[in-house]
Amino acid sequence: MAMNTYALIIIDMQNDFVLTEKSAVKGAKATVAAIRAAMDVCHEKHIPVFHVVRAYDGDGKNAEIFRRELFAAGRGFCIKGTAGAEIVAELAPAKEDIVLVKPRFSAFFGTNLHDLLQERGITHVLVAGTQYPNCVRATAVDALCHDYHVTVLTDCCSAQTDETARANCTDLKNMGIACTAFSELAL
């Protein structure tokens, strides 16, 4: 059996999704330390780390259709060039990390993530970040559709409620996606 080659994909751990009261996902801040620990282990083991983020235009024209009204009303978030769009300081990318901007929920949609993973011989992706029902789930499912083994890191992912997190993990597991804490993995 071929050995797994891992990559860590960190989704949307940006100030507006983690720290800004008006737009933060309730559970996101609590995952920062676990994600930092996962990053550190990955760096030590030379496992590639990808930060995949949002960068909306100020007018929201590149936002999902259901979010455009928020931007029109002056309630936009993760706007290109603002502090809100920056990755939280504790998770600042290392020089060897790769940062990609995604236009929609999935880290694979409209990015070259798949090509970058293929170039590195990646067989197994570890998914961290926020939030379960949107970007974490879309990325995990797309990774599965691209024939990667997928593990959603439960101690490194968040949702607005624990119930939402549990429901999404149940669905993901039923699709064949592993959901386990990074602290329980043996890399």
Side-chain angles (χ1 to χ4, degrees):
M1 182 172 155
M3 189 171 133
N4 283 333
T5 304
Y6 290 88
L8 174 62
I9 302 171
I10 303 169
I11 308 293
D12 291 345
M13 291 303 288
Q14 297 163 265
N15 289 325
D16 276 351
F17 288 137
V18 178
L19 303 174
T20 305
E21 188 175 335
K22 69 176 181 169
S23 54
V25 175
K26 288 182 182 163
K29 189 173 182 181
T31 64
V32 171
I35 295 171
R36 179 75 247 177
M39 284 176 66
D40 291 344
V41 169
C42 288
H43 289 142
E44 287 170 19
K45 295 182 176 278
H46 305 288
I47 293 171
V49 176
F50 295 84
H51 300 262
V52 188
V53 298
R54 301 308 283 267
Y56 291 116
D57 293 336
D59 61 10
K61 289 192 185 210
N62 65 338
E64 295 85 353
I65 196 165
F66 73 93
R67 288 186 167 149
R68 292 179 188 159
E69 289 181 22
L70 290 172
F71 285 83
R75 297 190 326 252
F77 48 88
C78 293
I79 296 170
K80 285 182 211 173
T82 68
E86 293 175 9
I87 294 169
V88 295
E90 298 91 338
L91 303 177
K95 66 180 179 184
E96 68 269 20
D97 293 355
I98 296 168
V99 178
L100 300 172
V101 177
K102 61 184 174 66
R104 292 292 180 262
F105 292 156
S106 174
F108 289 90
F109 184 87
T111 73
N112 64 341
L113 178 60
H114 178 59
D115 293 335
L116 293 169
L117 295 171
Q118 291 292 289
E119 288 169 8
R120 288 159 179 78
I122 302 302
T123 59
H124 193 130
V125 297
L126 307 172
V127 181
T130 197
Q131 78 165 323
Y132 271 108
N134 300 352
C135 302
V136 167
R137 183 183 185 120
T139 297
V141 171
D142 278 359
L144 185 66
C145 290
H146 281 90
D147 291 328
Y148 294 102
H149 298 280
V150 184
T151 301
V152 171
L153 304 174
T154 55
D155 54 343
C156 298
C157 290
S158 58
Q160 291 288 15
T161 68
D162 290 342
E163 179 183 31
T164 299
R166 281 191 303 275
N168 277 272
C169 281
T170 297
D171 287 347
L172 293 168
K173 287 176 186 176
N174 286 334
M175 288 183 238
I177 294 171
C179 294
T180 191
F182 183 80
S183 60
E184 296 173 9
L185 289 181
L187 296 179

